[in-house]
Amino acid sequence: MSRQRSKVRRALLLASVLPLGLPGQAVAAGPGGDAELTAEAPVPEWNHEGGGRGGAGGTDPRAVNKKIRRAGATTIAGASLAIAGGATAIAGGVLFYFGSPERLKELKQDNDYTLPVDDPKRQQIIRNAHATTFVLAAGIGVLVAGVVTAAVARSRLKKLREQRRTSMAFAPAPLRGGAGLHLEVRF
Amino acid sequence: MRPASFFRSALALLALAGCSLSEQLAGEPCAVAEDCWRTQECAQTAEEAALELPGMCLPKGTGCVRGQQLGCACDPMDFDADCGIAAAKIEVEYPNMICDPDRRICVLEQDEEGQP
């Protein structure tokens, strides 16, 4: 939505189709013209409105766009990582249930209040409890890494979008019988 | 949730998950190492294995309970280690023992006829 609005706002200004003289350069004499008069003709200095520097405005919009795409991809990667970490942590939670002390108590009650020795069910509960530690640790670790990555990338993306919103680009446009100045403003 | 409290909760959960069964399994009868928690061993003496008696889950490196397990070292002068009380849970049928004064290990108590 914001991108569409930005496109609408984009204005293309064609500054001039007249022969363009660059600052400090003398205008060349036309055929049959007076070369001396031409040499003496005053060369105007550029006046930049608003005290600007003129020329390309700060950063190249294409470079900014590239950075925005990269930041967007990093945000998505971070979010995916966070989702994967969350899913792993949930799996750890399920394992925690199947390897909980309550399961061991149940087994004890079913066996006259004594844990059966060399019993597959008892060993499975213990194995689940062992795996819980690693799965939970891995899940929470990946979740935190993903959230941090996504948050940092999103913050950077926001800044870059803000920067692009006010960017400006100039480009020379050669035309038949002169030259043009292509001015692109995004705001 | 603030990051610090999140990490505290995660660590508490991990700690809980990491040692949850060690207390439950401590002193429980066992036959193999898989019957116990990873920080424990199945302390079963050769004498117990020969009589098909279960061992018990004890912290790693314990070996056996002194003066309370068949085949384990004992002291006839020490009330707590004279083989009078078995370390095994009351639910486990464990034979009576005495402390052999010569070998200083817990052996099966024998009746007057020399039968265990």
Side-chain angles (χ1 to χ4, degrees), chain A residues 57-68:
Chain A
T59 52
D60 182 4
R62 283 167 296 188
V64 174
N65 280 343
K66 203 174 176 184
K67 282 181 186 172
I68 285 173

Side-chain angles (χ1 to χ4, degrees), chain A residues 10 35 39 57 83 96 114 119-120 122 126 162-163 177 184:
Chain A
R10 188 188 296 177
I83 290 167
F96 182 71
T114 302
D119 180 60
R122 170 182 175 170
I126 294 168
E162 200 67 36
Q163 195 180 331
E184 187 177 323

Side-chain angles (χ1 to χ4, degrees), chain A residues 96 99-101 104-105 108 112-115 117-119 122-123 125-126 129-130 132-134 136-137 140 143-144, chain B residues 6-7 10 13-14 16-18 20-21 24-25 28-32 34-38 54-55 57 89 91-92:
Chain A
F96 182 71
S100 63
L104 213 57
K105 273 181 195 167
K108 220 172 173 177
D112 295 334
Y113 296 93
T114 302
L115 282 176
V117 296
D118 205 5
D119 180 60
R122 170 182 175 170
Q123 290 171 4
I125 293 170
I126 294 168
H130 282 167
T132 301
T133 314
F134 299 110
L136 260 183
I140 290 170
L143 175 70
V144 169
Chain B
F6 173 78
F7 278 115
L13 188 65
L14 282 178
L16 190 70
S20 57
L21 294 187
Q24 299 284 325
L25 292 167
E28 288 295 332
C30 62
V32 289
E34 286 77 21
D35 286 341
C36 304
W37 193 241
R38 60 167 165 251
C57 292
K89 294 221 162 191
E91 293 87 2
V92 177

Side-chain angles (χ1 to χ4, degrees), chain B residues 33-107:
Chain B
E34 286 77 21
D35 286 341
C36 304
W37 193 241
R38 60 167 165 251
T39 56
Q40 297 169 337
E41 63 181 2
C42 183
Q44 189 183 32
T45 62
E47 286 81 356
E48 284 176 328
L51 291 170
E52 293 184 352
L53 289 170
M56 56 193 299
C57 292
L58 294 174
K60 273 185 179 170
T62 307
C64 60
V65 184
R66 185 174 170 269
Q68 295 182 17
Q69 229 178 323
L70 199 63
C72 203
C74 63
D75 180 2
M77 305 304 289
D78 184 352
F79 178 75
D80 291 328
D82 65 354
C83 311
I85 304 163
K89 294 221 162 191
I90 201 156
E91 293 87 2
V92 177
E93 284 184 25
Y94 208 84
N96 291 334
M97 305 178 287
I98 55 160
C99 184
D100 187 330
D102 300 326
R103 292 160 62 199
R104 296 245 166 180
I105 59 166
C106 292
V107 294

Side-chain angles (χ1 to χ4, degrees), chain B residues 2-14:
Chain B
R2 292 176 64 190
S5 57
F6 173 78
F7 278 115
R8 264 204 297 273
S9 308
L11 282 174
L13 188 65
L14 282 178

